[in-house]
Tab-separated table of all heavy atoms in Angstrom:
chain	number	residue	atom	x	y	z
B	789	GLY	N	136.558	85.844	107.528
B	789	GLY	CA	137.355	84.699	107.103
B	789	GLY	C	138.158	84.090	108.238
B	789	GLY	O	138.242	82.869	108.368
B	790	ASN	N	138.732	84.938	109.086
B	790	ASN	CA	139.517	84.426	110.205
B	790	ASN	C	138.658	83.777	111.264
B	790	ASN	O	139.080	82.843	111.927
B	790	ASN	CB	140.307	85.567	110.878
B	790	ASN	CG	141.465	86.033	110.022
B	790	ASN	OD1	142.000	85.265	109.223
B	790	ASN	ND2	141.839	87.289	110.166
B	791	HIS	N	137.460	84.309	111.393
B	791	HIS	CA	136.623	83.903	112.516
B	791	HIS	C	135.638	82.816	112.145
B	791	HIS	O	135.212	82.041	112.993
B	791	HIS	CB	135.884	85.130	113.058
B	791	HIS	CG	135.162	84.859	114.324
B	791	HIS	ND1	133.931	84.247	114.355
B	791	HIS	CD2	135.502	85.089	115.605
B	791	HIS	CE1	133.540	84.134	115.613
B	791	HIS	NE2	134.467	84.625	116.388
B	792	GLY	N	135.296	82.726	110.873
B	792	GLY	CA	134.201	81.845	110.460
B	792	GLY	C	132.892	82.528	110.786
B	792	GLY	O	132.848	83.747	110.947
B	793	GLN	N	131.832	81.735	110.842
B	793	GLN	CA	130.501	82.270	111.149
B	793	GLN	C	130.541	83.232	112.346
B	793	GLN	O	131.051	82.873	113.398
B	793	GLN	CB	129.597	81.084	111.477
B	793	GLN	CG	128.137	81.431	111.519
B	793	GLN	CD	127.310	80.205	111.899
B	793	GLN	OE1	127.555	79.557	112.917
B	793	GLN	NE2	126.338	79.896	111.060
B	794	ILE	N	130.003	84.410	112.149
B	794	ILE	CA	130.057	85.397	113.237
B	794	ILE	C	128.799	86.257	113.267
B	794	ILE	O	128.208	86.562	112.222
B	794	ILE	CB	131.338	86.280	113.101
B	794	ILE	CG1	131.479	87.238	114.291
B	794	ILE	CG2	131.356	87.027	111.783
B	794	ILE	CD1	132.803	87.994	114.300
B	795	ARG	N	128.378	86.611	114.462
B	795	ARG	CA	127.197	87.432	114.688
B	795	ARG	C	127.500	88.882	114.272
B	795	ARG	O	128.614	89.365	114.498
B	795	ARG	CB	126.886	87.403	116.182
B	795	ARG	CG	125.443	87.381	116.547
B	795	ARG	CD	125.306	87.250	118.061
B	795	ARG	NE	125.434	85.860	118.502
B	795	ARG	CZ	124.419	84.996	118.498
B	795	ARG	NH1	123.224	85.374	118.084
B	795	ARG	NH2	124.600	83.760	118.906
B	796	MET	N	126.511	89.543	113.701
B	796	MET	CA	126.660	90.943	113.287
B	796	MET	C	127.234	91.798	114.419
B	796	MET	O	128.162	92.578	114.211
B	796	MET	CB	125.306	91.521	112.866
B	796	MET	CG	124.769	90.987	111.554
B	796	MET	SD	125.633	91.672	110.114
B	796	MET	CE	124.833	93.270	109.964
B	797	LYS	N	126.652	91.666	115.553
B	797	LYS	CA	127.097	92.445	116.718
B	797	LYS	C	128.598	92.279	116.984
B	797	LYS	O	129.336	93.265	117.157
B	797	LYS	CB	126.302	91.976	117.948
B	797	LYS	CG	126.524	92.762	119.214
B	797	LYS	CD	125.881	94.120	119.132
B	797	LYS	CE	126.337	95.051	120.254
B	797	LYS	NZ	126.207	94.473	121.587
B	798	ASP	N	129.038	91.034	116.999
B	798	ASP	CA	130.440	90.741	117.286
B	798	ASP	C	131.350	91.224	116.168
B	798	ASP	O	132.456	91.715	116.411
B	798	ASP	CB	130.637	89.232	117.485
B	798	ASP	CG	129.836	88.707	118.665
B	798	ASP	OD1	129.508	89.521	119.562
B	798	ASP	OD2	129.517	87.506	118.685
B	799	LEU	N	130.855	91.094	114.948
B	799	LEU	CA	131.639	91.550	113.796
B	799	LEU	C	131.848	93.058	113.871
B	799	LEU	O	132.957	93.558	113.681
B	799	LEU	CB	130.930	91.158	112.496
B	799	LEU	CG	131.605	91.572	111.191
B	799	LEU	CD1	133.051	91.121	111.132
B	799	LEU	CD2	130.832	91.044	109.993
B	800	ALA	N	130.773	93.783	114.167
B	800	ALA	CA	130.871	95.237	114.302
B	800	ALA	C	131.894	95.595	115.368
B	800	ALA	O	132.748	96.466	115.156
B	800	ALA	CB	129.509	95.827	114.648
B	801	SER	N	131.834	94.892	116.474
B	801	SER	CA	132.737	95.232	117.556
B	801	SER	C	134.193	94.906	117.197
B	801	SER	O	135.101	95.673	117.489
B	801	SER	CB	132.264	94.555	118.848
B	801	SER	OG	133.294	93.825	119.444
B	802	ARG	N	134.408	93.794	116.528
B	802	ARG	CA	135.775	93.467	116.100
B	802	ARG	C	136.309	94.435	115.064
B	802	ARG	O	137.508	94.682	114.979
B	802	ARG	CB	135.835	92.071	115.476
B	802	ARG	CG	135.743	91.003	116.493
B	802	ARG	CD	136.297	89.706	115.952
B	802	ARG	NE	136.080	88.670	116.934
B	802	ARG	CZ	136.941	87.702	117.203
B	802	ARG	NH1	138.078	87.646	116.535
B	802	ARG	NH2	136.670	86.810	118.108
Side-chain angles (χ1 to χ4, degrees):
Chain B
N790 287 333
H791 189 279
Q793 193 182 54
I794 185 173
R795 217 176 278 276
M796 289 285 280
K797 186 72 193 308
D798 298 337
L799 179 53
S801 127
R802 286 201 185 218

